[in-house]
Amino acid sequence: MSEYKSEYRKKLRELTESKAYTVTLESEIQKLYKKAIEFDLDLKHQQEIEELRAKTTGLNIEFIRDYLCSDKNAASVNMSGVVIGIQGDGPWGVIEFQKFLNQKDFNVVNITDPGVRYIVLGSHNVDDEELNQQIATSIEEGFDLRIYSQELFVAWLITGVNPLEEWLEKDLLESVREHESLQYVIDSTQFPWPQLVDHASMKRSYEVKTFEWDGSLSEESPLRKMGYSVQAGALSIQERRAILRQAYTSSGLNKFLYSSHDLERWGQPNTAQRLYAMSSLITWLANFQGPTKPAAREKWISDLRWLKESFYDSKMKFWPVR
């Protein structure tokens, strides 16, 4: 009887060890499988990058691009401090393109970052789900979203002319005819690419309706609600300018306009009325609060100067006097 028990214990021990070994093997197999998949994906991506480089010719060659942009940076196109989302490869690999933009002082993030209002897409390898998410957010929250191909964005950097504002629609569409990612945007999403600036509407908006600021209006202003502040340690100059740019060029400020009177006072994006409201508010702050806050006044005056240099058109025929 003891012989059977001994044999039983032996087999039970072997079975237990076998189960433990099986669990270990399964764990190792899962790890190896994951690594194999990752290796295959990395290899596939690397092969695609190499193929991309082999096909990249003419002005898309990195050396030529870098030469043409040698004296250009984010400040050249008034984009200092503005968040830019990038994704996808083509004509340049996304890692190389991000490095290029970082060297030009652009603030580069993923396209799903909450602060993204500008997106630059490679021709392929774009995550459709993430792109759709940002497009849906822009529609739900009512802010303007600008989507560029890598080539269009670099053309803007080289020339200083924003294609989405200055090019004809037919030329924009022709420029992305073989751009897989932007064709997806055009054909498969609710996004109306290209979103062009309505110059005719802008020409009709040079006249402004003036009004007087007071303490209560300034304290509750949409500009303040968007986060604009000159308090010590609150925002960097780049962050202030980014908020001012967004307030003027996008509809993000509109969600703080609660009445028809508010809308009349602040106007629509990219109009003289919007610029008048912003500049007159900052002028009022500089004049009435500035004498007791010299550091703040210096920032307000600096921001006024930047607003005028960036957005003022002489046809608007106004600018507040300090």
Side-chain angles (χ1 to χ4, degrees):
M1 188 71 176
S2 60
E3 181 181 343
Y4 292 134
K5 285 185 177 179
S6 176
E7 185 67 18
Y8 169 77
R9 291 192 186 99
K10 178 182 176 183
K11 295 300 181 183
L12 184 61
R13 184 170 61 254
E14 289 176 355
L15 178 61
T16 302
E17 291 173 351
S18 175
K19 287 181 178 179
Y21 182 61
T22 300
V23 171
T24 302
L25 277 178
E26 288 176 346
S27 176
E28 290 178 354
I29 287 172
Q30 288 178 352
K31 291 177 182 178
L32 286 171
Y33 177 75
K34 183 178 179 182
K35 288 181 179 179
I37 293 297
E38 290 174 348
F39 177 79
D40 287 344
L41 289 174
D42 286 343
L43 183 60
K44 181 175 182 294
H45 187 256
Q46 188 59 39
Q47 289 171 341
E48 289 176 345
I49 295 297
E50 293 302 326
E51 290 174 3
L52 194 62
R53 285 176 175 164
K55 293 177 182 177
T56 300
T57 59
L59 296 179
N60 289 338
I61 295 174
E62 291 171 16
F63 176 80
I64 297 178
R65 178 203 65 191
D66 293 349
Y67 178 80
L68 293 172
C69 297
S70 59
D71 61 344
K72 309 294 184 181
N73 57 30
S76 304
V77 288
N78 290 321
M79 292 287 283
S80 297
V82 179
V83 174
I84 298 174
I86 71 168
Q87 199 175 92
D89 304 300
W92 304 290
V94 66
I95 295 175
E96 190 282 330
F97 192 60
Q98 179 174 355
K99 181 180 178 182
F100 165 76
L101 292 177
N102 285 335
Q103 290 173 342
K104 298 298 179 182
D105 300 325
F106 287 99
N107 185 6
V108 181
V109 298
N110 189 267
I111 62 174
T112 56
D113 186 282
V116 165
R117 300 295 181 269
Y118 293 81
I119 288 178
V120 183
L121 298 177
S123 59
H124 57 277
N125 290 335
V126 168
D127 188 317
D128 294 345
E129 185 175 340
E130 291 188 350
L131 180 58
N132 282 325
Q133 175 186 331
Q134 191 65 356
I135 288 174
T137 301
S138 74
I139 294 172
E140 291 169 5
E141 298 185 6
F143 62 79
D144 293 334
L145 185 65
R146 298 293 184 90
I147 303 180
Y148 300 79
S149 66
Q150 290 182 355
E151 299 96 321
L152 286 175
F153 194 80
V154 170
W156 180 16
L157 182 60
I158 293 171
T159 65
V161 175
N162 188 337
L164 293 186
E165 294 182 358
E166 302 297 337
W167 287 22
L168 296 175
E169 182 172 355
K170 66 180 182 64
D171 294 333
L172 286 168
L173 292 172
E174 177 62 23
S175 75
V176 300
R177 183 164 49 86
E178 298 182 4
H179 194 284
E180 179 182 315
S181 302
L182 272 167
Q183 286 303 314
Y184 171 79
V185 172
I186 294 168
D187 297 336
S188 305
T189 74
Q190 295 178 298
F191 192 81
W193 197 93
Q195 283 191 328
L196 298 173
V197 172
D198 185 352
H199 291 286
S201 174
M202 289 179 68
K203 289 177 182 177
R204 293 193 297 270
S205 68
Y206 291 136
E207 297 298 323
V208 299
K209 182 174 182 178
T210 61
F211 58 90
E212 297 296 325
W213 285 98
D214 58 35
S216 62
L217 282 178
S218 66
E219 285 298 317
E220 299 301 322
S221 76
L223 205 55
R224 181 181 179 88
K225 291 175 182 176
M226 287 187 72
Y228 178 75
S229 172
V230 296
Q231 290 183 355
L235 300 172
S236 67
I237 186 171
Q238 291 83 6
E239 290 169 331
R240 294 202 317 273
R241 303 285 163 81
I243 291 173
L244 291 173
R245 175 182 293 280
Q246 183 183 353
Y248 178 69
T249 62
S250 81
S251 57
L253 181 143
N254 288 17
K255 63 184 176 183
F256 301 113
L257 305 179
Y258 304 123
S259 67
S260 58
H261 186 60
D262 288 340
L263 185 58
E264 184 180 37
R265 179 184 293 118
W266 284 88
Q268 293 293 345
N270 294 303
T271 63
Q273 188 65 42
R274 175 66 58 89
L275 188 60
Y276 169 78
M278 293 171 61
S279 59
S280 61
L281 168 61
I282 295 174
T283 299
W284 184 89
L285 291 169
N287 288 340
F288 288 89
Q289 296 186 23
T292 59
K293 302 175 181 178
R297 186 174 189 276
E298 184 176 340
K299 294 177 183 178
W300 282 321
I301 292 174
S302 173
D303 288 346
L304 273 173
R305 188 181 304 115
W306 178 83
L307 277 174
K308 187 172 185 179
E309 291 173 354
S310 300
F311 305 117
Y312 183 71
D313 187 319
S314 59
K315 294 179 182 178
M316 293 178 179
K317 301 186 185 306
F318 78 87
W319 194 255
V321 179
R322 293 196 304 274

